[in-house]
Amino acid sequence: MKVAGITITYDDGFKLKEWFEHYKSYKDDLFIHIIIDNNSNINFKKKLKNLFKDSYIIERNTNGGCTGAYNDGINMALSIPEVDSIMLIANDFKINPGATQTLYKALFSNSEIGMIAPILLYPNSNIVDDFGCNISNVLTMEEYGNNKNIEDINEAINYCDAVAGGLNLSTRDFYEKVGLQDEKLFMYSDEVDMGLRAKKLGYSIAAIKNAVVYHEHINKNSDRGRRDSYTKYLAGRNKVYVTKKHFGALKVIYVFSFYFFGAFFKITVNSFKLNFSSVQDYLWMMLGAFMGLIGNMSPNRFSIPKE
């Protein structure tokens, strides 16, 4: 079992201790652990190096988002001939003992499966967060089994369109043939794009029940009750961009209309409610959908997280 684990980070001091505790439970299952730092501040990088002394740390000079950073790690993993599989591990996942080995055995027991994921549960519970996803007509991720008790899930394996980008295991062959993540996306919709690309090449994607992982959802801004506005911009932009990449003109018009005019409706509703922060969010989504339509994927003040 020669698994390269890849974790990305950016100024994650608020969850560094929890991340390291989680890491200790799965580090012995990894052949190598690669951390990509997305140009964090100096103090955080010092703490990172002091804790993760057994990990190989790549320091970026710019914030590459999820896609650029993961690609740095995937490229390094592929440069090591012994590595036979690559595991993306976000730093707020708690992996049950043995789950990595279970995923590995399931992945290599079926040559048609290129990517596999565990069943994800909410913290300290038996309630399902995600057991594989289907891709909807507007390219959203529809999580199978969400909010069900794990005991009510009858399937041992769920063959699906895509799995969570933060925790999955793939064969080396998968990345060599399907390719790296699309760095134009920066973050969000990368799972959708990868799922569509994998399907075109005949790979199956699956989630299995007997590998259990808890998604801790440790979020710096969780007290705000909503995500930053840039996430809405990226959602609108990336959904339209991925649609253009994989489908024809009618589908593009349909998906663009859903996000552009759907955001306009939300703006109208929230204006009447005097909820102006949400008005800004959906203005950014409208702009993002338009940028995706014209193919403008360049970074700008709407797409980059605020420092």
Side-chain angles (χ1 to χ4, degrees):
M1 193 166 85
K2 303 292 186 181
V3 180
I6 301 173
T7 307
I8 63 176
T9 186
Y10 174 66
D11 283 343
D12 288 326
F14 63 95
K15 57 181 173 181
L16 189 58
K17 291 182 179 179
E18 292 89 345
W19 171 18
F20 186 66
E21 288 303 311
H22 297 336
Y23 162 74
K24 288 193 293 186
S25 69
Y26 61 76
K27 71 182 184 69
D28 291 338
D29 292 324
L30 303 178
F31 178 68
I32 184 173
H33 183 228
I34 304 166
I35 296 174
I36 301 89
D37 180 83
N38 258 329
N39 198 29
S40 298
N41 69 74
I42 294 175
N43 289 333
F44 172 76
K45 286 192 280 191
K46 287 180 180 178
K47 293 177 183 177
L48 183 71
K49 291 175 183 178
N50 286 335
L51 271 183
F52 290 90
K53 294 179 180 178
D54 296 328
S55 302
Y56 188 95
I57 300 175
I58 297 173
E59 295 184 28
R60 289 181 56 92
N61 295 321
T62 59
N63 186 342
C66 294
T67 54
Y70 273 134
N71 282 349
D72 287 345
I74 295 167
N75 272 322
M76 180 180 174
L78 292 176
S79 74
I80 304 170
E82 296 91 338
V83 168
D84 60 13
S85 51
I86 296 172
M87 189 172 183
L88 307 187
I89 313 169
N91 56 21
D92 63 348
F93 284 90
K94 180 181 178 182
I95 302 175
N96 263 11
T100 302
Q101 296 178 36
T102 301
L103 284 170
Y104 184 90
K105 290 176 183 177
L107 178 65
F108 284 95
S109 68
N110 185 340
S111 60
E112 293 183 358
I113 299 177
M115 178 181 283
I116 200 164
I119 190 167
L120 301 180
L121 304 183
Y122 288 108
N124 304 310
S125 77
N126 289 322
I127 305 303
V128 177
D129 183 354
D130 186 334
F131 186 41
C133 302
N134 289 323
I135 299 172
S136 74
N137 286 334
V138 291
L139 273 60
T140 55
M141 297 268 282
E142 296 181 335
E143 299 158 332
Y144 180 73
N146 181 252
N147 288 325
K148 286 187 175 182
N149 192 296
I150 189 172
E151 301 300 329
D152 296 327
I153 300 292
N154 296 318
E155 301 92 337
I157 185 167
N158 177 33
Y159 290 95
C160 50
D161 295 330
V163 291
L167 203 296
N168 57 70
L169 178 70
S170 302
T171 61
R172 178 190 189 96
D173 176 78
F174 179 85
Y175 284 109
E176 289 176 336
K177 293 184 178 176
V178 177
L180 303 179
Q181 296 193 11
D182 187 338
E183 295 190 17
K184 289 183 179 180
L185 294 171
F186 189 74
M187 63 177 70
Y188 303 121
S189 297
D190 46 289
E191 307 100 326
V192 174
D193 178 57
M194 192 63 76
L196 293 171
R197 287 160 57 192
K199 185 176 182 180
K200 289 178 181 179
L201 292 177
Y203 282 103
S204 294
I205 294 177
I208 57 173
K209 182 181 177 182
N210 61 342
V212 176
V213 171
Y214 297 90
H215 193 179
E216 301 291 293
H217 293 283
I218 304 172
N219 191 330
K220 187 175 183 179
N221 295 321
S222 60
D223 59 321
R224 297 174 69 247
R226 65 183 185 88
R227 291 182 172 181
D228 291 318
S229 297
Y230 80 90
T231 64
K232 287 288 193 291
Y233 175 88
L234 292 175
R237 187 195 70 175
N238 291 355
K239 295 300 183 189
V240 177
Y241 167 78
V242 173
T243 306
K244 287 181 65 179
K245 185 175 176 180
H246 294 282
F247 300 100
L250 289 178
K251 180 85 165 182
V252 172
I253 293 170
Y254 176 73
V255 172
F256 169 77
S257 299
F258 178 86
Y259 287 99
F260 187 87
F261 294 108
F264 180 78
F265 174 76
K266 293 282 189 179
I267 289 169
T268 304
V269 170
N270 282 288
S271 294
F272 280 112
K273 294 181 178 179
L274 303 181
N275 189 356
F276 297 117
S277 59
S278 290
V279 168
Q280 174 180 295
D281 290 349
Y282 288 105
L283 279 170
W284 285 27
M285 178 175 277
M286 288 182 71
L287 178 61
F290 177 74
M291 289 298 190
L293 185 67
I294 66 174
N296 187 342
M297 303 295 287
S298 300
N300 56 47
R301 69 183 184 88
F302 301 101
S303 67
I304 303 295
K306 291 182 179 179
E307 299 297 329

PDB file of all heavy atoms in Angstrom, residues 74-109:
ATOM      1  N   ILE A  74      -0.373  16.504  -6.386  1.00  0.00           N
ATOM      2  CA  ILE A  74      -0.561  15.354  -7.286  1.00  0.00           C
ATOM      3  C   ILE A  74       0.659  15.178  -8.177  1.00  0.00           C
ATOM      4  O   ILE A  74       1.136  14.053  -8.394  1.00  0.00           O
ATOM      5  CB  ILE A  74      -1.845  15.534  -8.123  1.00  0.00           C
ATOM      6  CG1 ILE A  74      -3.087  15.509  -7.223  1.00  0.00           C
ATOM      7  CG2 ILE A  74      -1.948  14.428  -9.181  1.00  0.00           C
ATOM      8  CD1 ILE A  74      -4.349  15.973  -7.903  1.00  0.00           C
ATOM      9  N   ASN A  75       1.177  16.288  -8.694  1.00  0.00           N
ATOM     10  CA  ASN A  75       2.378  16.210  -9.534  1.00  0.00           C
ATOM     11  C   ASN A  75       3.557  15.617  -8.766  1.00  0.00           C
ATOM     12  O   ASN A  75       4.308  14.791  -9.304  1.00  0.00           O
ATOM     13  CB  ASN A  75       2.745  17.604 -10.060  1.00  0.00           C
ATOM     14  CG  ASN A  75       2.051  17.930 -11.364  1.00  0.00           C
ATOM     15  OD1 ASN A  75       1.883  17.070 -12.230  1.00  0.00           O
ATOM     16  ND2 ASN A  75       1.632  19.175 -11.515  1.00  0.00           N
ATOM     17  N   MET A  76       3.719  16.029  -7.521  1.00  0.00           N
ATOM     18  CA  MET A  76       4.811  15.472  -6.731  1.00  0.00           C
ATOM     19  C   MET A  76       4.599  13.980  -6.492  1.00  0.00           C
ATOM     20  O   MET A  76       5.531  13.177  -6.602  1.00  0.00           O
ATOM     21  CB  MET A  76       4.940  16.196  -5.398  1.00  0.00           C
ATOM     22  CG  MET A  76       6.084  15.627  -4.572  1.00  0.00           C
ATOM     23  SD  MET A  76       6.318  16.425  -2.985  1.00  0.00           S
ATOM     24  CE  MET A  76       7.595  15.341  -2.313  1.00  0.00           C
ATOM     25  N   ALA A  77       3.363  13.597  -6.169  1.00  0.00           N
ATOM     26  CA  ALA A  77       3.071  12.187  -5.927  1.00  0.00           C
ATOM     27  C   ALA A  77       3.367  11.344  -7.171  1.00  0.00           C
ATOM     28  O   ALA A  77       3.945  10.259  -7.085  1.00  0.00           O
ATOM     29  CB  ALA A  77       1.609  12.022  -5.508  1.00  0.00           C
ATOM     30  N   LEU A  78       2.988  11.860  -8.338  1.00  0.00           N
ATOM     31  CA  LEU A  78       3.213  11.125  -9.586  1.00  0.00           C
ATOM     32  C   LEU A  78       4.698  11.037  -9.933  1.00  0.00           C
ATOM     33  O   LEU A  78       5.105  10.157 -10.703  1.00  0.00           O
ATOM     34  CB  LEU A  78       2.449  11.786 -10.736  1.00  0.00           C
ATOM     35  CG  LEU A  78       0.920  11.701 -10.659  1.00  0.00           C
ATOM     36  CD1 LEU A  78       0.288  12.489 -11.811  1.00  0.00           C
ATOM     37  CD2 LEU A  78       0.439  10.253 -10.691  1.00  0.00           C
ATOM     38  N   SER A  79       5.494  11.933  -9.365  1.00  0.00           N
ATOM     39  CA  SER A  79       6.936  11.893  -9.636  1.00  0.00           C
ATOM     40  C   SER A  79       7.645  10.815  -8.827  1.00  0.00           C
ATOM     41  O   SER A  79       8.830  10.535  -9.055  1.00  0.00           O
ATOM     42  CB  SER A  79       7.573  13.255  -9.324  1.00  0.00           C
ATOM     43  OG  SER A  79       7.672  13.469  -7.925  1.00  0.00           O
ATOM     44  N   ILE A  80       6.932  10.202  -7.884  1.00  0.00           N
ATOM     45  CA  ILE A  80       7.499   9.148  -7.043  1.00  0.00           C
ATOM     46  C   ILE A  80       7.031   7.795  -7.596  1.00  0.00           C
ATOM     47  O   ILE A  80       5.843   7.456  -7.469  1.00  0.00           O
ATOM     48  CB  ILE A  80       7.053   9.312  -5.580  1.00  0.00           C
ATOM     49  CG1 ILE A  80       7.441  10.702  -5.065  1.00  0.00           C
ATOM     50  CG2 ILE A  80       7.661   8.214  -4.700  1.00  0.00           C
ATOM     51  CD1 ILE A  80       6.834  11.042  -3.710  1.00  0.00           C
ATOM     52  N   PRO A  81       7.904   7.017  -8.218  1.00  0.00           N
ATOM     53  CA  PRO A  81       7.485   5.779  -8.896  1.00  0.00           C
ATOM     54  C   PRO A  81       6.769   4.778  -7.989  1.00  0.00           C
ATOM     55  O   PRO A  81       5.884   4.050  -8.444  1.00  0.00           O
ATOM     56  CB  PRO A  81       8.806   5.189  -9.405  1.00  0.00           C
ATOM     57  CG  PRO A  81       9.724   6.353  -9.507  1.00  0.00           C
ATOM     58  CD  PRO A  81       9.337   7.277  -8.390  1.00  0.00           C
ATOM     59  N   GLU A  82       7.115   4.767  -6.703  1.00  0.00           N
ATOM     60  CA  GLU A  82       6.507   3.781  -5.796  1.00  0.00           C
ATOM     61  C   GLU A  82       5.040   4.066  -5.493  1.00  0.00           C
ATOM     62  O   GLU A  82       4.288   3.161  -5.127  1.00  0.00           O
ATOM     63  CB  GLU A  82       7.288   3.730  -4.467  1.00  0.00           C
ATOM     64  CG  GLU A  82       8.712   3.247  -4.609  1.00  0.00           C
ATOM     65  CD  GLU A  82       9.693   4.373  -4.830  1.00  0.00           C
ATOM     66  OE1 GLU A  82       9.266   5.469  -5.276  1.00  0.00           O
ATOM     67  OE2 GLU A  82      10.883   4.177  -4.548  1.00  0.00           O
ATOM     68  N   VAL A  83       4.627   5.308  -5.610  1.00  0.00           N
ATOM     69  CA  VAL A  83       3.249   5.684  -5.270  1.00  0.00           C
ATOM     70  C   VAL A  83       2.267   5.016  -6.227  1.00  0.00           C
ATOM     71  O   VAL A  83       2.381   5.145  -7.439  1.00  0.00           O
ATOM     72  CB  VAL A  83       3.077   7.216  -5.313  1.00  0.00           C
ATOM     73  CG1 VAL A  83       1.597   7.600  -5.257  1.00  0.00           C
ATOM     74  CG2 VAL A  83       3.844   7.869  -4.173  1.00  0.00           C
ATOM     75  N   ASP A  84       1.295   4.287  -5.665  1.00  0.00           N
ATOM     76  CA  ASP A  84       0.300   3.626  -6.507  1.00  0.00           C
ATOM     77  C   ASP A  84      -1.095   4.226  -6.377  1.00  0.00           C
ATOM     78  O   ASP A  84      -2.007   3.881  -7.134  1.00  0.00           O
ATOM     79  CB  ASP A  84       0.243   2.117  -6.221  1.00  0.00           C
ATOM     80  CG  ASP A  84      -0.126   1.787  -4.774  1.00  0.00           C
ATOM     81  OD1 ASP A  84      -0.571   2.699  -4.041  1.00  0.00           O
ATOM     82  OD2 ASP A  84       0.021   0.609  -4.378  1.00  0.00           O
ATOM     83  N   SER A  85      -1.257   5.140  -5.425  1.00  0.00           N
ATOM     84  CA  SER A  85      -2.571   5.766  -5.240  1.00  0.00           C
ATOM     85  C   SER A  85      -2.396   7.113  -4.558  1.00  0.00           C
ATOM     86  O   SER A  85      -1.401   7.354  -3.856  1.00  0.00           O
ATOM     87  CB  SER A  85      -3.494   4.866  -4.416  1.00  0.00           C
ATOM     88  OG  SER A  85      -2.864   4.452  -3.228  1.00  0.00           O
ATOM     89  N   ILE A  86      -3.377   7.975  -4.759  1.00  0.00           N
ATOM     90  CA  ILE A  86      -3.298   9.356  -4.268  1.00  0.00           C
ATOM     91  C   ILE A  86      -4.580   9.682  -3.506  1.00  0.00           C
ATOM     92  O   ILE A  86      -5.685   9.503  -4.022  1.00  0.00           O
ATOM     93  CB  ILE A  86      -3.094  10.338  -5.432  1.00  0.00           C
ATOM     94  CG1 ILE A  86      -1.740  10.063  -6.110  1.00  0.00           C
ATOM     95  CG2 ILE A  86      -3.191  11.782  -4.955  1.00  0.00           C
ATOM     96  CD1 ILE A  86      -1.515  10.845  -7.381  1.00  0.00           C
ATOM     97  N   MET A  87      -4.407  10.147  -2.284  1.00  0.00           N
ATOM     98  CA  MET A  87      -5.545  10.443  -1.411  1.00  0.00           C
ATOM     99  C   MET A  87      -5.578  11.926  -1.079  1.00  0.00           C
ATOM    100  O   MET A  87      -4.620  12.471  -0.528  1.00  0.00           O
ATOM    101  CB  MET A  87      -5.442   9.624  -0.127  1.00  0.00           C
ATOM    102  CG  MET A  87      -6.671   9.669   0.762  1.00  0.00           C
ATOM    103  SD  MET A  87      -6.490   8.457   2.112  1.00  0.00           S
ATOM    104  CE  MET A  87      -8.081   8.659   2.936  1.00  0.00           C
ATOM    105  N   LEU A  88      -6.661  12.589  -1.447  1.00  0.00           N
ATOM    106  CA  LEU A  88      -6.871  13.982  -1.073  1.00  0.00           C
ATOM    107  C   LEU A  88      -7.527  14.002   0.304  1.00  0.00           C
ATOM    108  O   LEU A  88      -8.561  13.354   0.503  1.00  0.00           O
ATOM    109  CB  LEU A  88      -7.739  14.702  -2.102  1.00  0.00           C
ATOM    110  CG  LEU A  88      -7.284  14.615  -3.569  1.00  0.00           C
ATOM    111  CD1 LEU A  88      -8.157  15.513  -4.434  1.00  0.00           C
ATOM    112  CD2 LEU A  88      -5.814  14.968  -3.725  1.00  0.00           C
ATOM    113  N   ILE A  89      -6.922  14.726   1.235  1.00  0.00           N
ATOM    114  CA  ILE A  89      -7.408  14.725   2.620  1.00  0.00           C
ATOM    115  C   ILE A  89      -7.505  16.163   3.119  1.00  0.00           C
ATOM    116  O   ILE A  89      -6.494  16.780   3.481  1.00  0.00           O
ATOM    117  CB  ILE A  89      -6.465  13.937   3.554  1.00  0.00           C
ATOM    118  CG1 ILE A  89      -6.078  12.581   2.944  1.00  0.00           C
ATOM    119  CG2 ILE A  89      -7.100  13.754   4.927  1.00  0.00           C
ATOM    120  CD1 ILE A  89      -4.949  11.880   3.688  1.00  0.00           C
ATOM    121  N   ALA A  90      -8.694  16.727   3.131  1.00  0.00           N
ATOM    122  CA  ALA A  90      -8.861  18.070   3.689  1.00  0.00           C
ATOM    123  C   ALA A  90      -8.560  18.035   5.181  1.00  0.00           C
ATOM    124  O   ALA A  90      -8.692  16.991   5.840  1.00  0.00           O
ATOM    125  CB  ALA A  90     -10.272  18.584   3.432  1.00  0.00           C
ATOM    126  N   ASN A  91      -8.164  19.170   5.734  1.00  0.00           N
ATOM    127  CA  ASN A  91      -7.670  19.154   7.112  1.00  0.00           C
ATOM    128  C   ASN A  91      -8.745  19.263   8.186  1.00  0.00           C
ATOM    129  O   ASN A  91      -8.433  19.484   9.359  1.00  0.00           O
ATOM    130  CB  ASN A  91      -6.608  20.237   7.315  1.00  0.00           C
ATOM    131  CG  ASN A  91      -7.093  21.630   6.963  1.00  0.00           C
ATOM    132  OD1 ASN A  91      -8.298  21.890   6.927  1.00  0.00           O
ATOM    133  ND2 ASN A  91      -6.159  22.527   6.695  1.00  0.00           N
ATOM    134  N   ASP A  92     -10.010  19.083   7.805  1.00  0.00           N
ATOM    135  CA  ASP A  92     -11.052  19.031   8.825  1.00  0.00           C
ATOM    136  C   ASP A  92     -11.830  17.718   8.766  1.00  0.00           C
ATOM    137  O   ASP A  92     -13.004  17.653   9.098  1.00  0.00           O
ATOM    138  CB  ASP A  92     -12.000  20.232   8.713  1.00  0.00           C
ATOM    139  CG  ASP A  92     -12.757  20.277   7.405  1.00  0.00           C
ATOM    140  OD1 ASP A  92     -12.398  19.524   6.473  1.00  0.00           O
ATOM    141  OD2 ASP A  92     -13.721  21.069   7.300  1.00  0.00           O
ATOM    142  N   PHE A  93     -11.118  16.637   8.370  1.00  0.00           N
ATOM    143  CA  PHE A  93     -11.725  15.314   8.335  1.00  0.00           C
ATOM    144  C   PHE A  93     -11.086  14.411   9.377  1.00  0.00           C
ATOM    145  O   PHE A  93      -9.856  14.359   9.504  1.00  0.00           O
ATOM    146  CB  PHE A  93     -11.567  14.666   6.958  1.00  0.00           C
ATOM    147  CG  PHE A  93     -12.492  15.217   5.919  1.00  0.00           C
ATOM    148  CD1 PHE A  93     -12.126  16.295   5.135  1.00  0.00           C
ATOM    149  CD2 PHE A  93     -13.748  14.659   5.734  1.00  0.00           C
ATOM    150  CE1 PHE A  93     -12.987  16.798   4.172  1.00  0.00           C
ATOM    151  CE2 PHE A  93     -14.611  15.165   4.772  1.00  0.00           C
ATOM    152  CZ  PHE A  93     -14.235  16.235   3.997  1.00  0.00           C
ATOM    153  N   LYS A  94     -11.913  13.700  10.123  1.00  0.00           N
ATOM    154  CA  LYS A  94     -11.459  12.732  11.114  1.00  0.00           C
ATOM    155  C   LYS A  94     -11.701  11.336  10.554  1.00  0.00           C
ATOM    156  O   LYS A  94     -12.850  10.911  10.392  1.00  0.00           O
ATOM    157  CB  LYS A  94     -12.214  12.931  12.430  1.00  0.00           C
ATOM    158  CG  LYS A  94     -11.817  11.978  13.538  1.00  0.00           C
ATOM    159  CD  LYS A  94     -12.639  12.251  14.788  1.00  0.00           C
ATOM    160  CE  LYS A  94     -12.289  11.280  15.906  1.00  0.00           C
ATOM    161  NZ  LYS A  94     -13.136  11.521  17.112  1.00  0.00           N
ATOM    162  N   ILE A  95     -10.625  10.631  10.254  1.00  0.00           N
ATOM    163  CA  ILE A  95     -10.711   9.328   9.594  1.00  0.00           C
ATOM    164  C   ILE A  95     -10.690   8.215  10.629  1.00  0.00           C
ATOM    165  O   ILE A  95      -9.761   8.130  11.443  1.00  0.00           O
ATOM    166  CB  ILE A  95      -9.549   9.156   8.595  1.00  0.00           C
ATOM    167  CG1 ILE A  95      -9.566  10.285   7.557  1.00  0.00           C
ATOM    168  CG2 ILE A  95      -9.608   7.800   7.920  1.00  0.00           C
ATOM    169  CD1 ILE A  95      -8.384  10.268   6.594  1.00  0.00           C
ATOM    170  N   ASN A  96     -11.694   7.352  10.600  1.00  0.00           N
ATOM    171  CA  ASN A  96     -11.726   6.222  11.514  1.00  0.00           C
ATOM    172  C   ASN A  96     -10.534   5.301  11.277  1.00  0.00           C
ATOM    173  O   ASN A  96     -10.103   5.120  10.133  1.00  0.00           O
ATOM    174  CB  ASN A  96     -13.018   5.421  11.333  1.00  0.00           C
ATOM    175  CG  ASN A  96     -14.080   5.803  12.351  1.00  0.00           C
ATOM    176  OD1 ASN A  96     -13.948   6.793  13.057  1.00  0.00           O
ATOM    177  ND2 ASN A  96     -15.152   5.022  12.422  1.00  0.00           N
ATOM    178  N   PRO A  97      -9.999   4.692  12.329  1.00  0.00           N
ATOM    179  CA  PRO A  97      -8.889   3.748  12.150  1.00  0.00           C
ATOM    180  C   PRO A  97      -9.253   2.639  11.161  1.00  0.00           C
ATOM    181  O   PRO A  97     -10.344   2.061  11.244  1.00  0.00           O
ATOM    182  CB  PRO A  97      -8.695   3.182  13.563  1.00  0.00           C
ATOM    183  CG  PRO A  97      -9.198   4.255  14.476  1.00  0.00           C
ATOM    184  CD  PRO A  97     -10.349   4.886  13.751  1.00  0.00           C
ATOM    185  N   GLY A  98      -8.365   2.368  10.232  1.00  0.00           N
ATOM    186  CA  GLY A  98      -8.591   1.317   9.253  1.00  0.00           C
ATOM    187  C   GLY A  98      -9.333   1.744   8.011  1.00  0.00           C
ATOM    188  O   GLY A  98      -9.398   0.997   7.030  1.00  0.00           O
ATOM    189  N   ALA A  99      -9.902   2.963   8.025  1.00  0.00           N
ATOM    190  CA  ALA A  99     -10.714   3.397   6.877  1.00  0.00           C
ATOM    191  C   ALA A  99      -9.878   3.547   5.614  1.00  0.00           C
ATOM    192  O   ALA A  99     -10.337   3.217   4.515  1.00  0.00           O
ATOM    193  CB  ALA A  99     -11.421   4.713   7.200  1.00  0.00           C
ATOM    194  N   THR A 100      -8.654   4.041   5.762  1.00  0.00           N
ATOM    195  CA  THR A 100      -7.786   4.208   4.586  1.00  0.00           C
ATOM    196  C   THR A 100      -7.469   2.860   3.958  1.00  0.00           C
ATOM    197  O   THR A 100      -7.515   2.708   2.730  1.00  0.00           O
ATOM    198  CB  THR A 100      -6.478   4.926   4.980  1.00  0.00           C
ATOM    199  OG1 THR A 100      -6.798   6.193   5.553  1.00  0.00           O
ATOM    200  CG2 THR A 100      -5.588   5.136   3.765  1.00  0.00           C
ATOM    201  N   GLN A 101      -7.171   1.874   4.776  1.00  0.00           N
ATOM    202  CA  GLN A 101      -6.891   0.538   4.264  1.00  0.00           C
ATOM    203  C   GLN A 101      -8.116  -0.067   3.593  1.00  0.00           C
ATOM    204  O   GLN A 101      -8.011  -0.738   2.565  1.00  0.00           O
ATOM    205  CB  GLN A 101      -6.408  -0.360   5.394  1.00  0.00           C
ATOM    206  CG  GLN A 101      -5.085   0.081   6.007  1.00  0.00           C
ATOM    207  CD  GLN A 101      -4.660  -0.800   7.160  1.00  0.00           C
ATOM    208  OE1 GLN A 101      -4.887  -2.002   7.144  1.00  0.00           O
ATOM    209  NE2 GLN A 101      -4.033  -0.207   8.173  1.00  0.00           N
ATOM    210  N   THR A 102      -9.283   0.177   4.166  1.00  0.00           N
ATOM    211  CA  THR A 102     -10.529  -0.325   3.578  1.00  0.00           C
ATOM    212  C   THR A 102     -10.780   0.307   2.218  1.00  0.00           C
ATOM    213  O   THR A 102     -11.174  -0.378   1.258  1.00  0.00           O
ATOM    214  CB  THR A 102     -11.710  -0.039   4.525  1.00  0.00           C
ATOM    215  OG1 THR A 102     -11.473  -0.676   5.781  1.00  0.00           O
ATOM    216  CG2 THR A 102     -13.013  -0.556   3.939  1.00  0.00           C
ATOM    217  N   LEU A 103     -10.555   1.615   2.122  1.00  0.00           N
ATOM    218  CA  LEU A 103     -10.709   2.299   0.842  1.00  0.00           C
ATOM    219  C   LEU A 103      -9.746   1.737  -0.196  1.00  0.00           C
ATOM    220  O   LEU A 103     -10.120   1.493  -1.349  1.00  0.00           O
ATOM    221  CB  LEU A 103     -10.446   3.802   1.017  1.00  0.00           C
ATOM    222  CG  LEU A 103     -11.534   4.643   1.663  1.00  0.00           C
ATOM    223  CD1 LEU A 103     -10.992   6.034   1.973  1.00  0.00           C
ATOM    224  CD2 LEU A 103     -12.756   4.733   0.766  1.00  0.00           C
ATOM    225  N   TYR A 104      -8.510   1.531   0.225  1.00  0.00           N
ATOM    226  CA  TYR A 104      -7.477   1.021  -0.683  1.00  0.00           C
ATOM    227  C   TYR A 104      -7.853  -0.357  -1.241  1.00  0.00           C
ATOM    228  O   TYR A 104      -7.756  -0.604  -2.444  1.00  0.00           O
ATOM    229  CB  TYR A 104      -6.151   0.953   0.065  1.00  0.00           C
ATOM    230  CG  TYR A 104      -4.971   0.525  -0.772  1.00  0.00           C
ATOM    231  CD1 TYR A 104      -4.196   1.464  -1.448  1.00  0.00           C
ATOM    232  CD2 TYR A 104      -4.620  -0.817  -0.881  1.00  0.00           C
ATOM    233  CE1 TYR A 104      -3.103   1.076  -2.213  1.00  0.00           C
ATOM    234  CE2 TYR A 104      -3.532  -1.220  -1.641  1.00  0.00           C
ATOM    235  CZ  TYR A 104      -2.782  -0.265  -2.300  1.00  0.00           C
ATOM    236  OH  TYR A 104      -1.699  -0.661  -3.058  1.00  0.00           O
ATOM    237  N   LYS A 105      -8.294  -1.251  -0.365  1.00  0.00           N
ATOM    238  CA  LYS A 105      -8.671  -2.601  -0.799  1.00  0.00           C
ATOM    239  C   LYS A 105      -9.853  -2.565  -1.762  1.00  0.00           C
ATOM    240  O   LYS A 105      -9.869  -3.276  -2.770  1.00  0.00           O
ATOM    241  CB  LYS A 105      -9.008  -3.465   0.417  1.00  0.00           C
ATOM    242  CG  LYS A 105      -7.810  -3.810   1.270  1.00  0.00           C
ATOM    243  CD  LYS A 105      -8.222  -4.586   2.515  1.00  0.00           C
ATOM    244  CE  LYS A 105      -7.015  -4.874   3.407  1.00  0.00           C
ATOM    245  NZ  LYS A 105      -7.413  -5.570   4.664  1.00  0.00           N
ATOM    246  N   ALA A 106     -10.828  -1.718  -1.465  1.00  0.00           N
ATOM    247  CA  ALA A 106     -12.000  -1.618  -2.342  1.00  0.00           C
ATOM    248  C   ALA A 106     -11.623  -1.028  -3.695  1.00  0.00           C
ATOM    249  O   ALA A 106     -12.116  -1.460  -4.739  1.00  0.00           O
ATOM    250  CB  ALA A 106     -13.074  -0.761  -1.669  1.00  0.00           C
ATOM    251  N   LEU A 107     -10.740  -0.036  -3.683  1.00  0.00           N
ATOM    252  CA  LEU A 107     -10.316   0.611  -4.931  1.00  0.00           C
ATOM    253  C   LEU A 107      -9.618  -0.373  -5.851  1.00  0.00           C
ATOM    254  O   LEU A 107      -9.896  -0.422  -7.059  1.00  0.00           O
ATOM    255  CB  LEU A 107      -9.388   1.781  -4.608  1.00  0.00           C
ATOM    256  CG  LEU A 107      -8.796   2.547  -5.793  1.00  0.00           C
ATOM    257  CD1 LEU A 107      -9.892   3.247  -6.589  1.00  0.00           C
ATOM    258  CD2 LEU A 107      -7.765   3.572  -5.305  1.00  0.00           C
ATOM    259  N   PHE A 108      -8.736  -1.179  -5.307  1.00  0.00           N
ATOM    260  CA  PHE A 108      -7.948  -2.084  -6.143  1.00  0.00           C
ATOM    261  C   PHE A 108      -8.603  -3.443  -6.363  1.00  0.00           C
ATOM    262  O   PHE A 108      -8.055  -4.297  -7.052  1.00  0.00           O
ATOM    263  CB  PHE A 108      -6.545  -2.239  -5.556  1.00  0.00           C
ATOM    264  CG  PHE A 108      -5.659  -1.052  -5.814  1.00  0.00           C
ATOM    265  CD1 PHE A 108      -5.538  -0.041  -4.865  1.00  0.00           C
ATOM    266  CD2 PHE A 108      -4.974  -0.922  -7.005  1.00  0.00           C
ATOM    267  CE1 PHE A 108      -4.728   1.072  -5.107  1.00  0.00           C
ATOM    268  CE2 PHE A 108      -4.170   0.187  -7.264  1.00  0.00           C
ATOM    269  CZ  PHE A 108      -4.051   1.181  -6.305  1.00  0.00           C
ATOM    270  N   SER A 109      -9.797  -3.620  -5.796  1.00  0.00           N
ATOM    271  CA  SER A 109     -10.530  -4.867  -6.033  1.00  0.00           C
ATOM    272  C   SER A 109     -11.383  -4.806  -7.290  1.00  0.00           C
ATOM    273  O   SER A 109     -11.902  -5.815  -7.754  1.00  0.00           O
ATOM    274  CB  SER A 109     -11.421  -5.195  -4.830  1.00  0.00           C
ATOM    275  OG  SER A 109     -12.474  -4.243  -4.712  1.00  0.00           O
TER     276      SER A 109
END
